[in-house]
Amino acid sequence: WYKVFGIGLLQMRLLSILWGMVGLVALFTLVWKLTRDVRSAALAAALTATDFVYVTFSSSGRMDGMAAALGFAGLAVYCSLRERNLPRAMLLGHILVAAAIFTHPNGILFFAGLMFLTIALDRRRIRFAYLAASSTPYLAGAAAWGWYISQAPRDFVAQMWSQIREKSGGNLAFSPLEFIRREVVNRYLVAYGLGPHSSGVAGPVALKAIVLAAYVAAALVLLGNRELRRSRGCQLLLGLTGLVFAIMTFFNEKLTYYLLNITPLYSAIL
């Protein structure tokens, strides 16, 4: 990228912005295929495009925007092709999700999401050959990464172990209530202006809190409305969002910019 466009702050951010745009197209496609409602899909993409968490962290120059875009693209491609050609849908979906995983470990969120959608929509149509073919992108990526690790395996282990200990605060014990508390306080309250400091764009704290309140209210309304709750698309959307939320709560570092992987789903629910 830098060899083609040069090195600079704009070039660094522009790459992330372009992946953010890919993510918007993927979200539109995903919601459209799940709900069969193009208006809901367009509104979900529009809300995401104006969400300060998505806009900020899709232009930061980090790899998070690329990983999220590839992950959402994998879900969207699967949902788009599954009725016409399930083997192709699974293979292409897993190629994109594998690319997300090897871009950033948060890609595992989309692997879980893709498996959830596959089981929910096509569990009776799945064949062993489809699963075997879908595993090849991960095997190829693991082989390449394994070759890279083999050049200095001790350094790899030392680096990874230190990262695990640092990101867990030195405490590897599993405490569900503590994880939930940290998820709310360290991630959401900080990101939406209710913590010790506010990440993202500057502005009145109340306006950020309104965004979070809108997401929570939308989820409660969707859960409480019997007609909406019976909709297959809404069920899939709630299940997908709940799964990603659970993984982020119990198995994910409490960084605000990781919200990039779930705020598009909140916008879809809203």
Side-chain angles (χ1 to χ4, degrees):
W1 178 263
Y2 288 142
K3 286 182 179 179
V4 174
F5 297 103
I7 297 176
L9 181 62
L10 177 61
Q11 292 90 327
M12 179 187 72
R13 292 186 179 277
L14 184 58
L15 179 59
S16 293
I17 291 170
L18 292 176
W19 281 112
M21 294 172 67
V22 171
L24 292 176
V25 175
L27 177 69
F28 169 84
T29 306
L30 175 64
V31 177
W32 179 24
K33 294 301 180 180
L34 289 180
T35 65
R36 307 293 182 177
D37 186 345
V38 69
R39 294 172 301 176
S40 295
L43 184 56
L47 288 171
T48 303
T50 57
D51 179 90
F52 74 90
V53 167
Y54 190 86
V55 171
T56 300
F57 300 134
S58 287
S59 59
S60 66
R62 282 179 53 87
M63 76 297 291
D64 302 272
M66 177 179 175
L70 287 167
F72 279 113
L75 302 183
V77 165
Y78 172 78
C79 289
S80 297
L81 299 178
R82 49 171 291 272
E83 293 180 345
R84 288 176 289 169
N85 192 320
L86 183 59
R88 180 179 297 176
M90 292 179 64
L91 177 60
L92 293 179
H94 281 285
I95 287 175
L96 289 165
V97 169
I101 289 175
F102 287 103
T103 298
H104 192 286
N106 278 336
I108 197 70
L109 298 169
F110 300 98
F111 173 79
L114 183 54
M115 295 304 295
F116 166 77
L117 291 176
T118 302
I119 294 172
L121 293 170
D122 298 302
R123 56 185 176 275
R124 295 179 180 177
R125 302 168 58 202
I126 299 173
R127 301 293 182 268
F128 177 78
Y130 304 169
L131 296 174
S134 299
S135 68
T136 55
Y138 304 100
L139 296 175
W145 199 29
W147 172 82
Y148 176 76
I149 294 169
S150 68
Q151 299 176 77
R154 291 185 178 181
D155 292 347
F156 173 81
V157 172
Q159 181 185 20
M160 286 298 168
W161 181 244
S162 66
Q163 286 287 307
I164 291 172
R165 291 190 62 84
E166 177 184 351
K167 295 180 187 303
S168 65
N171 180 16
L172 301 181
F174 185 82
S175 176
L177 291 179
E178 176 61 17
F179 283 170
I180 293 173
R181 185 195 69 79
R182 290 173 57 197
E183 180 74 6
V184 173
V185 174
N186 295 1
R187 178 141 42 209
Y188 286 90
L189 296 190
V190 169
Y192 288 94
L194 300 175
H197 67 278
S198 176
S199 61
V201 297
V205 170
L207 294 181
K208 290 185 175 183
I210 289 173
V211 176
L212 180 59
Y215 287 150
V216 174
L220 293 176
V221 169
L222 193 58
L223 287 169
N225 187 297
R226 180 178 300 179
E227 182 179 354
L228 288 174
R229 199 169 61 244
R230 287 178 175 176
S231 165
R232 182 59 170 161
C234 291
Q235 291 173 356
L236 292 170
L237 185 58
L238 282 171
L240 179 61
T241 306
L243 177 63
V244 174
F245 178 82
I247 296 174
M248 291 184 68
T249 298
F250 298 112
F251 304 101
N252 191 259
E253 191 179 2
K254 309 307 178 188
L255 298 174
T256 54
Y257 43 83
Y258 287 176
L259 286 171
L260 187 66
N261 300 289
I262 197 169
T263 50
L265 297 176
Y266 292 156
S267 294
I269 289 175
L270 180 59

